Amino acid sequence: MTVDAGKTVSGINIKSSQNRLLIKNGRVVNDDGMEDADVYIEDGIIKQVGRNLIIPGGTRTIDATGKLVMPGGIDPHTHFELEMMGAKTADDFYKGTRAAVAGGTTTVIDFVLPDKGQSLIEAYNNWRQKADGKVCCDYGLHVGVTWWSPSVRKEMEKLVSEDYGVNSFKMFMAYKDAWMLDDYNLMCAVEACAELKALPQVHAENGHIIARNTEKLLAAGVTGPEGHERSRDEEVEGEAVNRACVIANQANSPLYIVHMMSKSAVRAIQQARARQRQPLYGETLAATVGTDGSHYRNACFRHAAAHVLSPPLRPDRSTPQAIVEALADDHLQLIGSDNCTFHEKDKELGKGNFAKIPNGVNGVEDRMAVLWQKAVNTGIMDPCRFVAVTSSTAAKIFNLWPAKGRVAVNSDADVVVWDPRLERTITAAAHKHAVDFNIFEGQHVVGSPQYVIVNGRVCLDDGQLRVVEGHGKFLKTPVNSPYVYGGEEVLHSASEHPLHVDVAPRHVSVTNGTPTPEALNKHLEDMSVTSSGCSTPTGRKMRETGQRNLQSSTFSISKEVEGLDTKTSVRVRNPPGGKSSGLW
Ligand code: URP
Ligand code: ZN
Ligand code: ZN
């Protein structure tokens, strides 16, 4: 057994000294409300939430005065120990989940990606073997459908059974001659998902156009990393998003689009939503929010190649803010990392041919801090919406709710004590990844985890990382997620789930289910040390539309939290600004 950076201990009962934990004086933030409450944890489960709790002697107490107590992050998109494009990712399941925990993420969902012709079950078993003994936090698995045949359909049926616990399958519209499916096979796979009440996921880019553009660019002498984005611009992504939505509609299936990287992609899903009945979920990435495609033009190959992922970062520098706003406005529903790190020597496989640069970047560690900085500190998103997009919505979609994604009685004790005032600079020298490059290098962030509790164990302890290799477990994700297949009313009836006990957030008055800006602002002004409602999923409703200028926004958790313990609450002060009706 390994503790933190490679130190081996044996014979230690890791749980015994820590099975009772009290997080005191913090503000509990869930996706639907905030309240000032203590949280008592025993044997890996949240047992009590409230004030004046009766706590057994010998319980460790963490003082969370001035801090936010949130459900641990769920990263719905990682690639640990993945072999692709002739290389293997640097982060394995130990280092990858260690980095995740360091950043406040307590559950990851990784992708089993079979080779063409390989048994899906065999690939699944390989992944379990790689991960089970190594993970520092819980994990689930999506499975890639990288080829199609009746045997694949049969294996999907097995994989969704209780024995395997898979409820989502990813199909690729890109990576021609590798993982790509044509539209016929894609439609068959989407139909199979719908029949099995699993969730189809797609990588939406037009693989044929990319292949042709790549040939043309190479022939014209464009061989460097800048050719990567040029071979697959926004239109190439937007077209595939639209086509994927049409295919899902024809198959009468819900759809989850992974790593949406552009305004064009968001526009396409919005348009599809307006005409389609089945739910369409859009995931974006920390990379898109935290950086942009200008790096592909960096003269240093290593620097530029380190930013290569697919779909690529966009040269349009207004993309990151547009994507944050789409998340806040519920045009996109969640944020992952697509963590897929490669060492410099592997990125060099593409020196002289950008199409051979292994695709992938870091993000599992910095996902939450980067989004907090870009979305909450700027006033675009409130803390509840932050919890929704980084944790709760993934739990609901992948049927882990409310055991995961919620701070409530009977939920798993995966909890983050978030210090909204903690300042740091992101740097590869300090990060926990196995690579020596970080795409967010040098970014100053305010707000990071101080404590991270994984299944009741304090794994980040006042900033000190104390993860345990193998502490995490595999999570079976049952099909037929009520959030996906149960209709809208199920989304709001999590309180009826047998595991759920309400933390009793006080809701603001609503009109047609949506808090009015006036009601919400008044409510937040009135908030004292009691519970409060949040504006999720329309987190932006706290501000007037048009007040989107990052520089002029004055919503500041860091400042407002100063007086949390003396009745001050998170508050939104409306910045000056004109009206506008939308970005795109
Ligand atoms: O560039 C990326 N995204 N690498 C990982 C594989 C994938 O498409 O998700
Ligand atoms: Zn992909
Ligand atoms: Zn990916």
Side-chain angles (χ1 to χ4, degrees), residues 77 79 84 170 172 175 179 203 259 309-310 338 340 359-360:
H77 193 148
H79 300 282
M84 73 178 284
K170 177 177 177 183
F172 292 85
Y175 301 113
W179 295 325
H203 174 135
H259 47 45
L309 82 159
S310 296
D338 199 1
C340 190
N359 286 194

Side-chain angles (χ1 to χ4, degrees), residues 309-322:
L309 82 159
S310 296
L313 300 165
R314 299 303 174 187
D316 175 351
R317 288 194 147 168
S318 65
T319 301
Q321 187 184 334

Side-chain angles (χ1 to χ4, degrees), residues 27-108:
R27 166 152 292 198
V28 172
V29 185
N30 277 308
D31 65 339
D32 60 352
M34 299 192 260
E35 64 169 338
D36 290 346
D38 302 336
V39 178
Y40 174 65
I41 290 164
E42 203 176 287
D43 294 333
I45 300 291
I46 297 172
K47 298 284 183 181
Q48 300 180 60
V49 178
R51 283 288 194 230
N52 306 314
L53 307 180
I54 296 167
I55 305 299
T59 297
R60 177 178 173 190
T61 299
I62 287 174
D63 182 10
T65 301
K67 313 287 160 48
L68 304 173
V69 180
M70 314 190 292
I74 300 175
D75 188 335
H77 193 148
T78 65
H79 300 282
F80 300 139
E81 289 184 65
L82 169 67
E83 284 173 48
M84 73 178 284
M85 300 178 76
K88 187 173 182 179
T89 58
D91 285 319
D92 66 4
F93 277 94
Y94 171 59
K95 290 191 177 153
T97 54
R98 183 182 67 167
V101 171
T105 289
T106 54
T107 298
V108 300

Side-chain angles (χ1 to χ4, degrees), residues 42-169:
E42 203 176 287
D43 294 333
I45 300 291
I46 297 172
K47 298 284 183 181
Q48 300 180 60
V49 178
R51 283 288 194 230
N52 306 314
L53 307 180
I54 296 167
I55 305 299
T59 297
R60 177 178 173 190
T61 299
I62 287 174
D63 182 10
T65 301
K67 313 287 160 48
L68 304 173
V69 180
M70 314 190 292
I74 300 175
D75 188 335
H77 193 148
T78 65
H79 300 282
F80 300 139
E81 289 184 65
L82 169 67
E83 284 173 48
M84 73 178 284
M85 300 178 76
K88 187 173 182 179
T89 58
D91 285 319
D92 66 4
F93 277 94
Y94 171 59
K95 290 191 177 153
T97 54
R98 183 182 67 167
V101 171
T105 289
T106 54
T107 298
V108 300
I109 314 184
D110 204 82
F111 287 84
V112 175
L113 293 179
D115 295 332
K116 264 198 197 309
Q118 188 188 11
S119 149
L120 275 57
I121 304 269
E122 179 187 273
Y124 168 97
N125 287 334
N126 290 346
W127 247 260
R128 290 291 306 274
Q129 216 159 23
K130 287 191 275 192
D132 280 349
K134 284 192 188 163
V135 284
C136 303
C137 65
D138 291 352
Y139 80 105
L141 289 173
H142 317 285
V143 174
V145 176
T146 53
W147 59 292
W148 187 251
S149 83
S151 72
V152 170
R153 174 66 176 76
K154 280 207 182 83
E155 291 205 318
M156 289 172 73
E157 207 167 316
K158 268 191 167 179
L159 285 164
V160 301
S161 72
E162 264 187 45
D163 290 344
Y164 296 90
V166 170
N167 70 6
S168 43
F169 295 91

Side-chain angles (χ1 to χ4, degrees), residues 236-274:
V236 174
E237 187 185 4
E239 182 279 329
V241 169
N242 177 62
R243 186 159 35 101
C245 292
V246 170
I247 287 171
N249 201 37
Q250 293 292 317
N252 194 25
S253 174
L255 183 68
Y256 179 112
I257 303 175
V258 298
H259 47 45
M260 298 185 70
M261 304 291 278
S262 63
K263 294 180 188 176
S264 300
V266 175
R267 200 183 299 121
I269 199 173
Q270 277 182 268
Q271 285 167 355
R273 245 183 227 126

Side-chain angles (χ1 to χ4, degrees), residues 448-464:
S448 275
Q450 183 185 11
Y451 296 90
V452 178
I453 293 121
V454 182
N455 284 316
R457 184 178 191 282
V458 184
C459 288
L460 183 75
D461 195 339
D462 200 8
Q464 297 300 308

